[in-house]
Amino acid sequence: MCHRMNPLTMDEVRRICEELREGGRASAPSQPTRTPDAYPGTQLPLLVPGKGGELEPALLTWGFSLPGRDGLVFNTRLETALEQTRAGRGMWAGPMAEGRCLVPVHGFYESWTQPNAPAREGDAPGGRGRKGRRQVLFRLDGHPVFLMACVRAEDRFSVVTTVPNSTVFPVHNRMPLVLGRGESQRWLNGDFAGLANRGSIKLTSELES
């Protein structure tokens, strides 16, 4: 369950869009701005398809609010969303069909919920203490910026999750749908069911102190 990420600034996302329009490729910011981590309820910049198909920057709020439910729905299980899309009903059918988008990030975090979590001094067994569960920062190996798949409706979005690869599995039983080279077009243009397996995505991990 992804509930924390390190996003880009709106200016950086705008520059990415400009580079894509001008040359068809975008580079990572040469001197990235240090930004606060984003959590559900935060507004942050995403890449959304425009009317002509080109990517545009959009400031969206992370998490859907549902009537009669406390809190926000900020993750979307890919398996559930695919089932609802095929059935043509359910809360994810519309966002999957018409609202697929991308969030560019420097990294994402997962709470260590699997067995044998390392503990801080004074923590309870399982790595849970006064500060909550240990957090692990994941990055795409060799890439200071990468894309994660999202879905949106109006001014809100949710991060799409899938089964973890071998890097995330020891920490958590889900991971964001991290996209590799060329996969953003598969996500945006309809050939996305085969993206569920993230075994080929090479991530690095760093245990937060």
Side-chain angles (χ1 to χ4, degrees):
M1 178 185 295
C2 178
H3 70 283
R4 181 183 174 195
M5 67 177 89
N6 187 240
L8 277 63
T9 66
M10 177 57 88
D11 284 343
E12 289 170 338
V13 174
R14 287 194 184 103
R15 283 197 292 273
I16 288 174
C17 292
E18 291 171 1
E19 290 180 2
L20 288 173
R21 283 195 297 269
E22 293 171 0
R25 296 187 64 181
S27 58
S30 57
Q31 294 182 322
T33 304
R34 291 182 62 88
T35 56
D37 288 335
Y39 297 84
T42 305
Q43 281 190 324
L44 61 156
L46 276 76
L47 296 165
V48 304
K51 292 182 179 179
E54 72 284 356
L55 289 174
E56 300 177 346
L59 191 63
L60 303 176
T61 299
W62 185 7
F64 291 83
S65 56
L66 299 180
R69 175 170 175 167
D70 294 332
L72 296 171
V73 180
F74 50 88
N75 283 174
T76 304
R77 292 177 66 93
L78 180 61
E79 303 91 325
T80 301
L82 289 173
E83 290 177 3
Q84 293 183 359
T85 302
R86 286 190 287 265
R89 61 181 182 274
M91 73 172 291
W92 301 121
M96 279 290 286
E98 302 173 359
R100 294 187 306 279
C101 54
L102 307 162
V103 59
V105 298
H106 299 292
F108 68 92
Y109 294 80
E110 293 291 359
S111 298
W112 201 312
T113 58
Q114 299 285 61
N116 302 317
R120 303 181 190 90
E121 183 178 352
D123 275 3
R128 190 178 183 93
R130 288 180 298 174
K131 296 182 179 180
R133 293 188 182 277
R134 301 298 297 273
Q135 297 278 299
V136 180
L137 170 62
F138 294 93
R139 297 187 178 98
L140 185 61
D141 191 18
H143 298 271
V145 173
F146 58 95
L147 300 171
M148 300 194 307
C150 300
V151 292
R152 68 182 177 115
E154 299 179 350
D155 61 348
R156 292 184 173 271
F157 79 96
S158 174
V159 174
V160 176
T161 67
T162 187
V163 295
N165 64 13
S166 59
T167 307
V168 181
F169 176 76
V171 175
H172 201 82
N173 63 0
R174 301 291 295 179
M175 68 173 282
L177 188 58
V178 175
L179 300 172
R181 185 181 297 275
E183 290 184 327
S184 60
Q185 289 305 310
R186 287 184 62 188
W187 173 248
L188 295 174
N189 294 324
D191 181 23
F192 50 79
L195 294 173
N197 187 335
R198 299 290 79 199
S200 63
I201 296 295
K202 298 184 182 302
L203 299 172
T204 63
S205 63
E206 179 183 339
L207 180 63
E208 190 173 48
S209 59

